[in-house]
Amino acid sequence: MIDDNFHQPSVLCSGETEYNKAGLLQGQAVDSSLSETGRQQAAAAGSYLRDVGFSNVFSSDMRRAQQTAEKIMQQNSSCLRLQMVCDPLLKEKSFGVAEGGRVEDLREMARAAGEPFPGFTPPGGETPDQVKLRVQQFMEKMLQQIGAEHWPAGGADVSSAEGGPDNGMGPLNAHALVVSHGAYMCVAVRYFVEELRCSAPAGCDRKRMFSLSPNAGICRFNLTVVRQGARYVVSGMRCVFIHRVGGAEQDE
């Protein structure tokens, strides 16, 4: 095992689409584009993150996520030399037969089945465990790529600063932009907290951590990464902030 290395992903939910606006489920079957509001949200996120030095950019291969990532990259000089990696492991959760229908109809399906809405899986949809497996596979893939590219040896110290787009950033040699989707991010954050023992920001409880991200909401995490043999693994994790939009935390 070598010295600690540090990785700070900024994880975003894609911007709004017309389906979001109408209260309809998109999942994987509906590959919609950003609405005008969604484009404005993505541009605002890009403005907020314009001075962050990204080392890598990863996006879901769905159109709304790619367009969100593109808006951010257009405003960030560190992205001029970067190529976006579009990965199906970051796709939104599949809602099966409920895709294209109303969110309220999915709630009714859950009530009829006697199951809680957040964890309900409609016929043909993905279970939380299936989504979590994709999260784990993406994390493994991302860490090995970033490790090979940025951490040949040694490490760096992390320092934190409050407020501003560089909140929680220190002298690191890897900072990825990751753009995915709301339901996927809910499963990912729960996995980070419950299994990777990710600590929450000061004053943030589990209800807040596990809530659905707003469109173009930004989360940032500090990962301590070590090399074990030929692999890089997470040895510690901290959430710096959660669901930040336009530089401000969202209300409970």
Side-chain angles (χ1 to χ4, degrees), residues 186-213:
C186 280
V187 174
V189 171
R190 185 174 289 274
Y191 166 64
F192 296 160
V193 171
E194 295 181 346
E195 299 189 36
L196 297 185
R197 299 293 181 260
C198 177
S199 61
C204 181
D205 60 16
R206 285 198 167 202
K207 179 182 177 183
R208 167 78 175 138
M209 286 289 289
F210 298 158
S211 64
L212 187 67
S213 173

Side-chain angles (χ1 to χ4, degrees), residues 4-82:
D4 292 350
N5 297 274
F6 299 96
H7 173 220
Q8 287 185 311
S10 289
V11 185
L12 277 84
C13 179
S14 59
E16 184 202 75
T17 67
E18 293 298 334
Y19 272 72
N20 291 136
K21 191 188 240 180
L24 301 175
L25 286 165
Q26 296 166 101
Q28 297 180 4
V30 180
D31 193 14
S32 50
S33 298
L34 294 179
S35 65
E36 179 57 34
T37 296
R39 289 190 288 273
Q40 292 172 3
Q41 291 168 339
S47 177
Y48 179 66
L49 296 170
R50 66 184 179 277
D51 295 325
V52 175
F54 290 115
S55 58
N56 301 79
V57 178
F58 301 94
S59 172
S60 159
D61 62 353
M62 306 203 76
R63 189 177 297 122
R64 56 194 184 271
Q66 291 181 55
Q67 290 175 341
T68 301
E70 286 167 356
K71 285 284 187 184
I72 294 167
M73 294 176 73
Q74 287 167 4
Q75 300 182 69
N76 191 305
S77 61
S78 72
C79 294
L80 293 175
R81 58 185 173 79
L82 299 180

Side-chain angles (χ1 to χ4, degrees), residues 97-200:
V97 299
E99 293 189 350
R102 299 187 309 156
V103 174
E104 190 52 42
D105 291 340
L106 181 60
R107 292 181 186 272
E108 287 296 334
M109 291 171 68
R111 277 194 284 269
E115 297 183 28
F117 169 68
F120 175 67
T121 302
E126 280 185 295
T127 66
D129 280 346
Q130 288 173 321
V131 179
K132 184 178 76 172
L133 178 60
R134 289 200 284 119
V135 172
Q136 293 170 322
Q137 290 172 335
F138 173 74
M139 287 282 288
E140 172 71 11
K141 194 172 174 182
M142 177 181 68
L143 285 178
Q144 304 325 308
Q145 177 179 331
I146 289 177
E149 291 175 356
H150 304 290
W151 299 324
D157 293 327
V158 173
S159 61
S160 294
E162 295 303 321
D166 60 348
N167 189 180
M169 293 182 64
L172 308 180
N173 52 7
H175 188 114
L177 171 65
V178 181
V179 183
S180 186
H181 307 272
Y184 180 98
M185 286 173 60
C186 280
V187 174
V189 171
R190 185 174 289 274
Y191 166 64
F192 296 160
V193 171
E194 295 181 346
E195 299 189 36
L196 297 185
R197 299 293 181 260
C198 177
S199 61

Side-chain angles (χ1 to χ4, degrees), residues 1-7 151 153-158 172-173 223-227 232-236:
M1 186 167 72
I2 66 169
D3 293 340
D4 292 350
N5 297 274
F6 299 96
H7 173 220
W151 299 324
D157 293 327
V158 173
L172 308 180
N173 52 7
L223 277 64
T224 304
V225 181
V226 296
R227 193 169 70 197
Y232 290 90
V233 299
V234 175
S235 64

